[in-house]
Amino acid sequence: MQQKHVLGGILAFLVLATPVALALPKYRLQAITQFHLDDGSGLAALDRRVMSCSYCHVKDSGGAPWNPFGEAIRATFKANAEAGGKAKFPEVLYTLLESGADADGDTYPDALEVWAKTLPGDPGSKPTEALEVVQTAFEAAGGVEQFEPQQGQKK
């Protein structure tokens, strides 16, 4: 009888803990789509190697504090709100990328780092090719416009 209670307790814990374990931040999921990191399988949302929380946060687990790129996103949200805007995350993210900012100060603009799949908030993570080479390839691939929010993301 006691084994059934223990087994029932373990099962209840797993059922209750599963949604928490699978819960992913809304902004991360939106950025995966906007950065074209999702291959359509839906697995990108579950695999933190595709886009780790350290894109914007200091800790791999997310939460405060934010790295320089995360702080730049927060500042862009604040500036939009202070100007009376009501921009959603995808629009704020595009505004920041379009600005040509380099949040981590490594000489590679944030948009180039996103495209090159390096971390725009970590000065130690940057493309291996020279800035001019990466910039030329980025522009040939569509430039910052490729990160413009999709129709469904603007709402």
Side-chain angles (χ1 to χ4, degrees):
M1 184 74 161
Q2 188 174 355
Q3 289 176 339
K4 286 184 181 180
H5 288 297
V6 171
L7 186 57
I10 292 172
L11 185 59
F13 172 77
L14 291 174
V15 168
L16 293 173
T18 299
V20 173
L22 295 178
L24 298 171
K26 176 181 172 183
Y27 292 159
R28 180 178 166 275
L29 295 177
Q30 290 174 333
I32 286 171
T33 301
Q34 194 165 350
F35 293 164
H36 309 288
L37 299 175
D38 190 353
D39 63 4
S41 69
L43 296 177
L46 300 174
D47 188 348
R48 297 234 185 245
R49 292 173 296 182
V50 171
M51 183 180 184
S52 71
C53 294
S54 59
Y55 245 77
C56 302
H57 301 271
V58 171
K59 296 183 284 184
D60 286 335
S61 59
W66 289 264
N67 67 29
F69 185 63
E71 288 294 347
I73 292 170
R74 290 171 45 125
T76 306
F77 260 119
K78 183 178 179 184
N80 178 268
E82 287 174 351
K86 295 180 182 179
K88 303 287 186 204
F89 177 74
E91 296 164 297
V92 167
L93 190 54
Y94 182 67
T95 297
L96 176 60
L97 295 178
E98 190 178 38
S99 76
D102 175 18
D104 61 12
D106 64 3
T107 72
Y108 289 84
D110 299 332
L112 280 180
E113 289 208 64
V114 168
W115 180 77
K117 295 181 175 50
T118 60
L119 300 173
D122 178 357
S125 172
K126 59 186 176 184
T128 56
E129 290 101 7
L131 176 61
E132 298 77 24
V133 172
V134 178
Q135 184 72 47
T136 299
F138 176 64
E139 293 303 328
V144 75
E145 289 79 22
Q146 63 190 301
F147 301 129
E148 191 170 5
Q150 298 170 2
Q151 193 62 20
Q153 288 186 304
K154 293 182 182 180
K155 296 178 180 177

